[in-house]
Amino acid sequence: MDSILVTGNGPLSGQIPIAGAKNACLTLMPATLLSDEPLTLTNAPRLSDIRTMTLLLQSLGAEVQALNDGQVLALSSHALTSTRAEYDIVRTMRASIRVLGPLLARHGEAQVSLPGGCAIGARPVDLHLRAMEALGAEMDLRDGYVHAKAPAGGLRGGVVRFPLVSVGATENALMAAVLARGTTVLENAAREPEIVDLAQCLRKMGARIEGEGTSRIEIEGVDRLGGATHRVVTDRIELGTYMLAPAICGGEVECLGGRIDLLQAFCEKLDEAGISVEETAAGLKVARKNGRVRAVNVVTEPFPGFPTDLQAQMMALLCTAEGDSVLEEKIFENRFMHAPELMRMGARIDVHGGTARVRGVEALRGAPVMATDLRASVSLILAGLAAEGETVVSRVYHLDRGYEHVVRKLRGVGAKIERIKGE
Ligand code: EPZ
């Protein structure tokens, strides 16, 4: 298994291009199942999760071509051969559940493997199933699979009230509702930019949607959808991650393609911590010129709150802040596994349930550490950038799921980092 060697190397400077969003692309790709006309996605990220979604769609009989070095995805599902999403693919990526709504809406049935366990939490899919039932589908769990069947004549409009905000269940319900007969209302819907991006793409395909980005989305079903070409929105989590690099090491870095509206709550926390964030013509410029970072308290929430997918990276920053910071993880019940690894680097962190108290230390020291999930892996790389000496992060296959060209991007701004090929 590959690992990444990082050596603390002082302030950073230069530019980092931000790719298209993994979490938008993973819901835009299944949208091809809603139409027999081609869907083209530009600004697609080159990640192992995108390759997994490609395999999944191809296993259903869809055509998926990666063009322009993988930044353009040409998708078509005019002749599906199956409506069954196999366990072998689904167990490697939970996002696979997002084929349920589109298959049910256009093909009237679907068999989707249940995703199984996840390192950061139980992550059930009950809200996805409830949403499909609200649109008239019969749902049955058998042999580790969801067996879904639409009523004769197809799904019908209905009211879906989410008891808690779920990004994935909102995306599945939205994709199911665009072909349902009549009107659907999603209440307490997720408001993430990835959902706005999905709605904009579906609208280009001919869907009738109002209210995306708010907690109430209204969809008027149509008989069929056409094709479209859509540019994937910027990856706000990759953006936030690289904004933290100069924050943690010092220096000034411009993140190309960055937008404040994608990360308002996060940018406010950086400002509170003494980090300057400035909009430029090309993106966002982040700088920490002098002095230590100030301690801040963080609570993770659904958008527009502080994103849970930046919690681990923010913890890495706060390890060397002046004072104590308290981080509350409100979305996932087991998302502090990076804390013991950061403590191997000399951090002082007390974790109690969903709360972590970080007592700022003068400096971190390099050490061998292990990645446990996608965002934890990159938080260890950020910590290594600021630590004295060498840090070796193992199990970086987690990283490849959500970050393209990490070594090249960080080297481009002066970081001392290399990938070590495993046996
Ligand atoms: C999406 O996951 C993202 N993944 C996650 O990013 C992100 O952390 C999460 O949203 C929250 O922002 C993708 O978009 C592919 P949820 P999703 O449904 O849709 C509970 C990353 O690092 N819940 O909003 O799976 C659930 O357990 C990944 O890129 C139910 O109880 O998240 C959680 O506590 C990690 N029942 C909460 O809701 C359900 O049916 C929010 O989950 C669904 C969810």
Side-chain angles (χ1 to χ4, degrees):
M1 267 188 270
D2 290 10
S3 55
I4 287 190
L5 168 64
V6 193
T7 309
N9 193 34
L12 304 175
S13 73
Q15 298 180 317
I16 297 182
I18 305 301
K22 166 180 84 77
N23 291 346
C25 211
L26 288 176
T27 191
L28 289 163
M29 293 172 75
T32 186
L33 300 169
L34 290 165
S35 168
D36 56 7
E37 291 183 38
L39 173 64
T40 305
L41 299 175
T42 62
N43 194 35
R46 288 139 317 170
L47 305 166
S48 61
D49 271 8
I50 301 302
R51 290 189 289 280
T52 305
M53 183 58 83
T54 297
L55 282 179
L56 176 60
L57 294 172
Q58 288 169 339
S59 77
L60 301 173
E63 288 162 19
V64 185
Q65 277 187 293
L67 310 169
N68 292 24
D69 183 26
Q71 287 192 304
V72 173
L73 297 172
L75 305 112
S76 166
S77 62
H78 62 276
L80 283 197
T81 52
S82 165
T83 56
R84 185 180 170 87
E86 294 291 346
Y87 173 64
D88 275 350
I89 300 178
V90 175
R91 70 183 171 81
T92 64
M93 184 183 68
R94 318 180 54 76
S96 309
I97 190 81
R98 286 162 176 76
V99 300
L100 175 65
L103 284 173
L104 205 44
R106 178 151 167 250
H107 303 275
E109 60 166 24
Q111 303 80 44
V112 180
S113 168
L114 286 166
C118 173
I120 64 175
R123 303 184 74 179
V125 294
D126 56 322
L127 301 180
H128 297 246
L129 310 188
R130 296 294 83 69
M132 299 306 132
E133 281 171 346
L135 302 185
E138 262 172 49
M139 309 299 287
D140 185 17
L141 295 183
R142 256 190 346 263
D143 320 320
Y145 280 74
V146 176
H147 293 260
K149 196 141 187 49
L155 295 176
R156 53 175 186 269
V159 178
V160 181
R161 285 191 192 84
F162 293 109
L164 59 94
V165 172
S166 161
V167 173
T170 300
E171 291 165 343
N172 244 330
L174 181 55
M175 288 192 279
V178 290
L179 290 178
R181 283 170 296 124
T183 306
T184 296
V185 177
L186 307 183
E187 291 179 355
N188 197 26
R191 302 166 55 189
E192 271 65 6
E194 295 75 32
I195 288 170
V196 172
D197 205 40
L198 174 64
Q200 288 169 348
C201 178
L202 292 170
R203 198 175 284 122
K204 284 180 198 160
M205 294 167 76
R208 295 201 194 130
I209 303 168
E210 274 174 31
E212 74 273 13
T214 75
S215 49
R216 187 180 186 283
I217 304 177
E218 191 160 324
I219 306 112
E220 192 62 43
V222 295
D223 294 340
R224 64 177 298 279
L225 291 180
T229 296
H230 181 76
R231 180 183 164 79
V232 180
V233 70
T234 297
D235 193 319
R236 65 196 167 100
I237 307 302
E238 188 196 29
L239 170 63
T241 301
Y242 288 123
M243 289 169 74
L244 284 165
I248 205 169
C249 296
E252 182 177 278
V253 168
E254 185 178 20
C255 295
L256 305 178
R259 288 169 27 202
I260 282 205
D261 64 309
L262 294 173
L263 283 177
Q264 192 70 46
F266 172 75
C267 292
E268 283 160 14
K269 280 294 163 190
L270 287 190
D271 178 55
E272 216 181 303
I275 311 294
S276 83
V277 178
E278 193 194 311
E279 286 186 283
T280 64
L284 294 180
K285 191 179 280 179
V286 182
R288 193 191 97 207
K289 293 281 164 51
N290 42 42
R292 280 175 72 183
V293 170
R294 287 194 291 270
V296 297
N297 297 333
V298 169
V299 180
T300 64
E301 293 169 300
F303 192 89
F306 189 100
T308 174
D309 295 344
L310 284 171
Q311 177 260 98
Q313 300 92 314
M314 194 70 181
M315 184 184 277
L317 173 74
L318 297 172
C319 288
T320 53
E322 194 136 29
D324 291 8
S325 308
V326 175
L327 292 108
E328 286 180 68
E329 174 54 58
K330 295 273 189 195
I331 307 292
F332 294 109
E333 60 275 22
N334 187 31
R335 202 168 202 182
F336 284 136
M337 289 193 292
H338 39 283
E341 300 300 317
L342 290 168
M343 288 160 76
R344 289 176 49 73
M345 300 175 72
R348 294 177 52 207
I349 308 169
D350 302 319
V351 174
H352 294 288
T355 303
R357 176 178 289 277
V358 182
R359 302 173 192 283
V361 296
E362 284 287 332
L364 295 176
R365 292 181 308 283
V369 289
M370 189 166 69
T372 47
D373 62 76
L374 166 58
R375 307 304 172 181
S377 59
V378 83
S379 80
L380 300 175
I381 288 178
L382 287 175
L385 291 174
E388 290 156 6
E390 295 187 345
T391 297
V392 178
V393 183
S394 59
R395 297 191 178 186
V396 290
Y397 56 83
H398 289 291
L399 196 73
D400 299 333
R401 300 188 58 169
Y403 293 91
E404 59 170 38
H405 307 313
V406 173
V407 169
R408 189 198 301 173
K409 289 188 178 184
L410 286 171
R411 266 205 191 146
V413 292
K416 214 167 165 204
I417 180 169
E418 62 182 293
R419 188 166 182 125
I420 303 169
K421 282 269 163 245
E423 308 295 312

